[in-house]
């Protein structure tokens, strides 16, 4: 199963939606669950593995819950990193502009000989 297949199943299969609802899994959770189950990052989860781990989600298996939390923390870390880099780039650009402005003022007040 690919992530796209899981999402399509969630959207088009009433039985799948009911099953997910019973386990308190929303559509927004499907990608996180898929990424936790896709341990080798192949983009695919075997149907057997999916079914096997689905029971763990239903039982709130601490190992699975820990994996979901770990994956969620990795996602948060990546988002924060991207936002920090964006702010740093913006500040760098602002500082460069201010430096150029100060250089222009300095040369206007004290022209080079």
């Amino acid at each position: 199963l690919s992530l796209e297949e899981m999402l399509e199943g969630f959207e088009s299969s009433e039985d799948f939606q009911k099953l997910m609802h019973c386990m308190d899994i929303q559509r927004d959770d499907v990608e996180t669950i898929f990424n936790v189950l896709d341990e080798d990052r192949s983009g695919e989860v075997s149907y057997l593995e999916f079914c096997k781990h689905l029971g763990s989600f239903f039982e709130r298996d601490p190992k699975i819950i820990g994996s979901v939390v770990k994956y969620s923390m990795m996602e948060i870390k990546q988002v924060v990193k991207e936002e920090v880099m964006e702010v740093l780039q913006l500040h760098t650009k602002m500082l460069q502009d201010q430096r150029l402005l100060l250089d222009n003022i300095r040369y206007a007040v004290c022209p080079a000989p």
Side-chain angles (χ1 to χ4, degrees), residues 8-38:
E8 183 180 324
F10 195 93
E11 293 169 0
S12 62
S13 171
E14 191 175 327
D15 290 337
F16 189 68
Q17 287 176 9
K18 287 178 183 177
L19 179 62
M20 296 292 108
H21 181 73
C22 287
M23 292 183 287
D24 195 28
I25 295 173
Q26 306 302 314
R27 187 191 184 285
D28 294 343
D29 301 325
V30 172
E31 185 174 355
T32 299
I33 290 168
F34 178 84
N35 287 317
V36 168
L37 297 178
D38 184 20

Side-chain angles (χ1 to χ4, degrees), residues 4-5 8 22 25 36 49 66 72-73 75-76 80 94 103 111:
E4 290 75 27
E5 290 170 324
E8 183 180 324
C22 287
I25 295 173
V36 168
E49 285 294 302
S72 297
M73 292 302 296
E75 284 184 318
I76 291 169
V80 169
M94 288 171 47
D103 287 345

Side-chain angles (χ1 to χ4, degrees), residues 1 21-22 24 32 54 66 70 91 97 100:
L1 293 173
H21 181 73
C22 287
D24 195 28
T32 299
L54 205 54
K70 181 180 176 182
H91 285 190
D97 292 345
L100 182 61

Side-chain angles (χ1 to χ4, degrees), residues 51-94:
C51 292
K52 176 180 153 190
H53 288 296
L54 205 54
S56 298
F57 280 105
F58 185 69
E59 296 167 356
R60 299 290 190 227
D61 183 345
K63 181 179 176 184
I64 294 296
I65 300 301
S67 295
V68 170
V69 169
K70 181 180 176 182
Y71 180 79
S72 297
M73 292 302 296
M74 288 174 17
E75 284 184 318
I76 291 169
K77 181 180 175 183
Q78 183 62 36
V79 168
V80 169
K81 180 180 176 182
E82 290 169 3
E83 289 180 3
V84 166
M85 290 303 295
E86 188 177 311
V87 169
L88 285 174
Q89 290 170 350
L90 177 66
H91 285 190
T92 299
K93 174 73 172 115
M94 288 171 47

